[in-house]
Amino acid sequence: MSTSKKEYKKITTKSLVEMKKNGEKIAMLTAYDYTMAKILDNAGIDILLVGDSASNVMAGHMTTLPITLDQMIYHASSVIRAINRCLVVVDLPFGSYQGNSRSALDSAIRIMKESGGHSVKLEGGSEIRESISRILTAGIPVMGHLGLTPQSIYKFGSFTVRAKEEEEAQKLKEDALLLEELGCFALVLEKVPAKLAKEVAESISIPVIGIGAGNGVDGQVLVTHDMLGMTHQFHPRFLRRYLDLYSEMSNAFENYITDVKSVDFPNENEQY
């Protein structure tokens, strides 16, 4: 496959399909606020995911389940105001689409109208086909999500690798094909064996973005706060920390506190 890189002034769902065809890997990270989204967009990120992981990262919940549709719209609105180039995908939160395709459509429409997001992401395969189909009929782009689906954590019982057994692996492959047939523009595979993820990516024409799914897929996604090392108690195998901001920020805060208490800050050059 060609590895030539095309410069895209604006990333769209069509751009992503072209990138897969050209063999260019897709870079995706999370964002929940204006400032971080601005930095990421300027750095050249392809996709920003306004993830329901904001429930963990921004609000301190143990799972993604508590975050509401209103809160997702707030985070997505903040991100949209910051970006010029990348594609913004917004997670539909738990309870906003499962079991009721009408509610799913209403939720997706609210995200698109009230936040300005470019697309939505849903977790699941055949179980939510009606919700996906109904959202797509409104012209709203949908990204799928298979493998470990955090909104179903109480069903799984743990965050361990999914689809290691043949039966679950076969269902995952069937669901990936189904999502493509329904019209999803891309698919996230989370925490599945690398060999299986590569097989799925090669079997469908839409891009497959991996997280803990090896390097045989079409792109990668990480939680930004994790890869920057702002979180420091989370150590999955798939996570590469590009910085240790937890330590650097802690040192900066400690220095500030010391300078204030010792009346070193502000000095004569830092006042009017």
Side-chain angles (χ1 to χ4, degrees):
M1 298 178 73
S2 168
T3 57
S4 60
K5 183 177 179 180
K6 176 179 177 180
E7 292 297 328
Y8 294 97
K9 291 183 179 179
K10 187 76 175 175
I11 300 295
T12 65
T13 57
K14 181 181 177 183
S15 307
L16 300 176
V17 175
E18 288 181 0
M19 290 168 76
K20 174 169 178 140
K21 288 180 179 178
N22 293 335
E24 180 182 346
K25 299 296 186 180
I26 298 164
M28 177 172 166
L29 286 168
T30 59
Y32 318 108
D33 66 273
Y34 175 90
T35 302
M36 187 71 80
K38 195 74 173 175
I39 296 170
L40 286 161
D41 189 56
N42 287 340
I45 200 73
D46 297 314
I47 307 174
L48 281 182
L49 171 65
V50 184
D52 57 3
S53 49
S55 179
N56 314 101
V57 176
M58 306 302 287
H61 294 295
M62 293 297 293
T63 72
T64 62
L65 274 62
I67 199 164
T68 67
L69 183 60
D70 284 340
Q71 289 168 333
M72 289 302 302
I73 289 170
Y74 166 79
H75 286 296
S77 300
S78 301
V79 169
I80 283 291
R81 285 191 286 270
I83 63 99
N84 292 308
R85 176 184 175 272
C86 68
L87 182 79
V88 176
V89 181
V90 185
D91 271 339
L92 282 182
F94 177 73
S96 67
Y97 64 92
Q98 296 96 335
N100 188 326
S101 62
R102 179 68 232 184
S103 293
L105 178 59
D106 289 343
S107 300
I109 288 174
R110 280 199 63 199
I111 282 177
M112 301 297 281
K113 286 179 67 70
E114 297 178 37
S115 78
H118 305 146
S119 57
V120 297
K121 181 166 75 63
L122 288 71
E123 295 182 6
S126 58
E127 308 86 358
I128 59 164
R129 65 182 302 164
E130 290 184 13
S131 292
I132 291 174
S133 294
R134 196 154 192 171
I135 292 170
L136 288 167
T137 62
I140 299 172
V142 173
M143 175 181 278
H145 185 145
L146 298 173
L148 177 65
T149 48
Q151 291 179 12
S152 302
I153 186 56
Y154 290 122
K155 172 185 174 183
F156 293 144
S158 74
F159 288 97
T160 57
V161 176
R162 304 307 311 172
K164 291 191 291 184
E165 304 299 327
E166 180 58 34
E167 183 178 353
E168 189 177 355
Q170 183 59 36
K171 184 181 186 310
L172 187 145
K173 288 187 280 189
E174 291 171 359
D175 280 341
L177 289 170
L178 173 64
L179 294 178
E180 178 186 30
E181 291 169 2
L182 290 175
C184 291
F185 72 88
L187 168 65
V188 168
L189 283 184
E190 181 168 356
K191 240 180 170 184
V192 301
K195 182 179 178 182
L196 173 62
K198 185 175 187 293
E199 184 179 344
V200 170
E202 291 174 348
S203 70
I204 58 178
S205 61
I206 60 175
V208 175
I209 312 296
I211 176 167
N215 62 11
V217 291
D218 305 303
Q220 301 293 331
V221 59
L222 287 174
V223 171
T224 299
H225 292 65
D226 293 340
M227 61 85 71
L228 289 176
M230 295 176 74
T231 55
H232 68 293
Q233 295 176 325
F234 181 58
H235 303 284
R237 182 186 300 185
F238 63 78
L239 174 59
R240 179 182 296 181
R241 286 195 164 90
Y242 286 79
L243 288 173
D244 181 14
L245 282 191
Y246 182 88
S247 296
E248 292 188 36
M249 292 171 72
S250 295
N251 289 336
F253 298 147
E254 290 168 5
N255 289 338
Y256 169 75
I257 294 165
T258 299
D259 289 349
V260 169
K261 291 185 178 295
S262 66
V263 200
D264 181 67
F265 175 80
N267 61 32
E268 290 185 1
N269 294 325
E270 294 165 331
Q271 54 191 332
Y272 299 97

